[in-house]
Amino acid sequence: MTTSRRRFLSTVSAVTAGGLAALSSRAPRFLLESAAYGAETKGEKILVVVQLSGGNDGLNTVIPFGEEKYKKSRPSLAIDGAGGVVKIENGYGLHPSLRACEKLLENRQLSILQGIGYPNPNRSHFESMDIWHTAHTKPSRESGWLGRCFDAHKDTLAKAIDPPGMHLGEEVQPLALAARDLPAPSIRSLEQFRLETGGDDQQRSVITSATAAPRAAGNDLLKFVQTRATSALDLSRRMQASGTGYKTTVSYPETPLSQKLKNIAHLIDAGLTTRVYYVSIDGFDTHSDQAGAHASLLDQIGGALAAFAEDLAGHGQLDRVMTLVFSEFGRRLQENASRGTDHGAAAPVFLVGSKVKPGLVGKHPSLDDLDDGDVKFHTDFRSIYAALLEKWLGWPAGPILGDMWKPMECLA
Amino acid sequence: MPLNQKLPSPEEAWLPFEPTAAQPFGRREAAHLFRRAGFAANSRELDEAVKLGPQMAAKKLVAAEEGEFAGKMHSFAQTVLATNNSQTLAAWWLHRMLHTPAPLLEKTTLFWHSHFASSSAKVTDTRLMFNQNELLRRYALGKFEPLVMGIARDPAMLIYLDSATNRKTRPNENFAREVMELFVLGIGNYTEKDIQELARCFTGWEIQYGAFKFNRYQHDYGSKTVLGKSGNFDGGDSVKVLLEQPATARFLCGKLARYFITDESDLSPETIEPLAQKLRASDYTFAPVLETLLTSRLFYSQASLGKKVRSPVELGIGLLRSLEATAGLPQITDQIRELGQMPLFPPNVKGWPGGMAWINSSTLLGRANFVRQLVQDNDTLFGGISLEAYIDKLGWKTADQVVDSLSEILLAVPLPKDVRSQLVAQIEGGRDSRLTKLKKTVHTLGSLPEFQMA
C-alpha cells in the first residue's frame, strides 16, 4: 500500500515536472491535498459488510442445544449436542455447517453478538431491512447509515482516489450505502479494474505513457482526471501483475460469497482507498424444509468468512479489516408445519477480525421470555454500528445515528 | 488558444461571442458546442456548423424539431412498455439520444431528469417513468411553471418521494421539502416553517391507481403563509409564489451553468445574475436563456472550454455519434450503466452529482475498455462501413491528418505535442494492418484524460 502510494506520488511529481514543492504556489488544491492524504496514510481501517437477506434463523445459527424448550419447539429442525454442534460454551454452539468458524474462534477472530435487534420488531423483510440500512426505526429511503458517513466526511473522502464505499454484486445497491453527495459504485466484476488490451502490451504502454505525459497548465479538472487515470492504470497494472488471478495460498470455496470476499481481499491488497465494502447473500427466508437449505447457506458463510480472514492475515491486512455479518431479523422459535420457520425478531450478529471481543458476547436470549413467539433483543443493533463507527472507522457516531447509542463493547 | 486569456466580466459574460482571428470559430469550437448542447457531432456536422457560425449554429440547435422522429420513438416505446421492463426503456432513451435530430432537446431532458430525479428502482410501473420522461421532454426548452406543476401531479415523482397521499390532518412534507431544496429554490432560501406551509398547499394531491387525483376532502382550505406571502393557497398558487422569489432564477441558472458551461463551481453569483434576470424576464422560458448561454462569450471562454467531465451518457453516446457508429444497444446500455449512469435510475432524489464524482479507478478503466470494445467489435460499423473505409471517405489520408482530425472530433482539450507525435508514429510504423492501427488510435485517444472532458 505505502509502496504503491509512493509510486503514485512520484508519478504526480513527474507529471508536474518539478515535484510537489514546485507545485505549491499555483497547483490545484486537490492535487496537493490528495498527495498529502496519500503520504500520511498507512492503510485506513476497512469495514466489510456481509448481509444475509431473508431473515437468518439465529436459533439454528447459535444453537441453545442444552435447552429442552429449544428441542421441543423444533421437532424436525433441532440439532442436539451430539449432532455435531460446534461447541462454544456450556449448552451453546454453532450450527455444524459453521465448522469452518471453529478456527476463527480458536484464533479469537470471531465475535458472536447475541440478542441483537430493535424495539417493536418489524417482521416485513423490506421494512426491517430498511431499518437496519438506515438505522432508523421509521426509515426514510433517503440515505443509509454508511452513506450518511460518506456525506458527513465528504471533504476528506472525496480527496481519496477511490470511492469511500463499494458494493460488489449484481443485485440492487443496498440502501445502507445511499448517500446524497458521495454515491458508491456497484461493481459486478474485477474486470472493471483492468485495462483491456487483448494482450497487446505495446498498446498498454502507449496508453500509460500518453496518460502520464505532462499537460499544459490551466485546466485543474484535466489535471485531476490525469492524476486519477495514472493511478487507475497503476492499479490495473498491479491487478494484472498477479497473472491470471490474485496471489493467495488460501483456497476459497467455489461459492459466490467466497469469490466476492476474495475479490475484496484482492482490492484491499491492491491498495484501494475504499473504506467500506458491501456484499450480500440471499436465500435465508426458510419457511419450508429449512434444514438442508439453511445448512448449505451456513456452510457458504462459514467457508467464506474463514478463508477471507486467513487470506487477509496472510497478506498482513487482517488488523485493519473488520467484517460485520447481519440479517434483517431472526426466525420464530416454534418451527412451522412445513419443517421451516417464520419471520422472527432478535438474532445474533457476527464480527470477524483480529480486534474483536472473541466468542459469545452478551446473553443468549431467553427461550422462556418471548414476544409473539420470538426471542427478544437486549442490545440494539445501533450500538454495534456506533462501535464500528467510533472505534473502528474513526467517524463520530452521534451525527449519523443520533446521540442515544453507546458503542457496544464488542471490539478488543 | 491563448492561455491566461482574460475571462469575461459579469457584464460581458452573456454577450454574444464574436469570432476573431485570435479566437476563431473552427471545428474545435463547433465540437465544443455540440458536446455541450448535445451528444457531440460528426465531421460533417462540424463543417456545417463552422459555415453557420456560432450564433446560427446555436439557434439551429435550439430550434431543432423532432418531426417524424417523435412519432417513431413513441410507437417504439409502446412496444417496450408492453414488457414493463425498465432496463429496456432506458435503452430506448439511449437510442433516442443516439438518433435524435434535436440533440439539445434530449440533452436538456436529461438535465431535468437529474433535476427532478425519480428512479425505476422504486417506481416499478415503467409506464409511469415513461410518462414522466415525456413530461420532462415536453417542457424541457419551454416554461418552468407548467413543468413544476406537471411534476407536482406526476405519479412517478410522488410515488418516488413517498408522497402518494397527503392528508390535511398530517401533511406530507417530503415533496414540499424537495420542491424547496432541490426543485425550485435551492438550499438556504427557505425555512422549515415554509416547508410545512407548502406541504399544506399540496394536501389532497394524491396518486390513486397510478393517476393523479385531487381529493378535495383532504385539502386544507385554510390560509397559509409561504415565504412571507399569505393566502388560501393551493399547490398551483404556491408555485407562483416560489417563482416570484429572485433565488429561484438564480438557483436554476446556476444549475444550468454547471450543466452546460463548467463543473467548477467558481462562477460567481454576479456572473449568474444577468442570466437569472433573463430567465425571469422571459417568464421562466428556457429556450431563449439557453440560446443566450450557448452563444455567449463565457461559453467560448477558458472558463468553459474543456472544463467539464463527460458523463457516461455523454461519453458513450458522444463517441457513437461523433463517428456515426452503430453497435448493439443492450450492450451499450449495460456498459453505460457500469460507468455509473443508468438513465431512469438516478442514485437518489438529488440526481447524479456529476463532475469529479464520475471519475474513479473502475470508471476510468471502464471508459477505456468501453472504447476498445466498441472499436474492436467487428459488428461495429462507422457510417455503415468499416472504420478504415469511413476514415478514407472523410479524406484523412496521412497519419498526421488522422490523428489531428480524430483529436478534433473526440477531444475537448488538445493533445500535448509529444503525445500527438507518439500517436502519429504508431500509425506510421509497425506491421499491423491500417485498420488495426486506426482502431488502436481511436482506442488510445478514447483512453486519455482529454477524452474524459466535455
Side-chain angles (χ1 to χ4, degrees), chain B residues 190-316:
Chain B
Y190 53 88
T191 64
E192 283 296 310
K193 182 75 184 156
D194 288 324
I195 291 177
Q196 291 160 12
E197 292 289 287
L198 185 65
R200 289 178 60 212
C201 301
F202 283 104
T203 45
W205 292 45
E206 297 178 353
I207 300 303
Q208 288 182 9
Y209 306 107
F212 174 79
K213 186 177 170 263
F214 176 68
N215 180 348
R216 63 195 171 92
Y217 301 106
Q218 285 303 335
H219 184 67
D220 178 343
Y221 286 95
S223 174
K224 300 105 182 168
T225 303
V226 180
L227 297 156
K229 294 254 163 124
S230 301
N232 177 14
F233 298 146
D234 68 4
D237 303 322
S238 69
V239 167
K240 286 195 200 317
V241 171
L242 298 191
L243 295 191
E244 283 165 16
Q245 297 287 312
T248 298
R250 288 180 198 137
F251 170 66
L252 292 172
C253 286
K255 224 172 153 182
L256 286 169
R258 266 198 306 287
Y259 190 71
F260 287 104
I261 297 181
T262 173
D263 286 333
E264 294 178 34
S265 51
D266 50 10
L267 289 182
S268 63
E270 295 75 42
T271 303
I272 298 297
E273 188 56 36
L275 196 66
Q277 282 172 15
K278 176 138 191 134
L279 183 61
R280 294 190 73 186
S282 72
D283 198 17
Y284 287 90
T285 313
F286 291 102
V289 169
L290 284 179
E291 191 177 319
T292 300
L293 189 155
L294 296 170
T295 53
S296 68
R297 293 186 190 176
L298 185 65
F299 182 71
Y300 286 102
S301 76
Q302 291 302 321
S304 172
L305 294 163
K307 298 290 165 59
K308 268 188 73 72
V309 176
R310 273 185 157 168
S311 72
V313 167
E314 288 174 325
L315 180 124

Side-chain angles (χ1 to χ4, degrees), chain A residues 162 179 181 188 194 196 200, chain B residues 337 348 350 361 369 440:
Chain A
D162 303 297
D181 299 315
R188 303 210 272 179
R194 294 203 178 97
E196 191 50 62
D200 184 339
Chain B
R337 174 183 50 206
N348 56 47
K350 245 181 135 179
S361 305
N369 294 344
K440 282 189 186 178

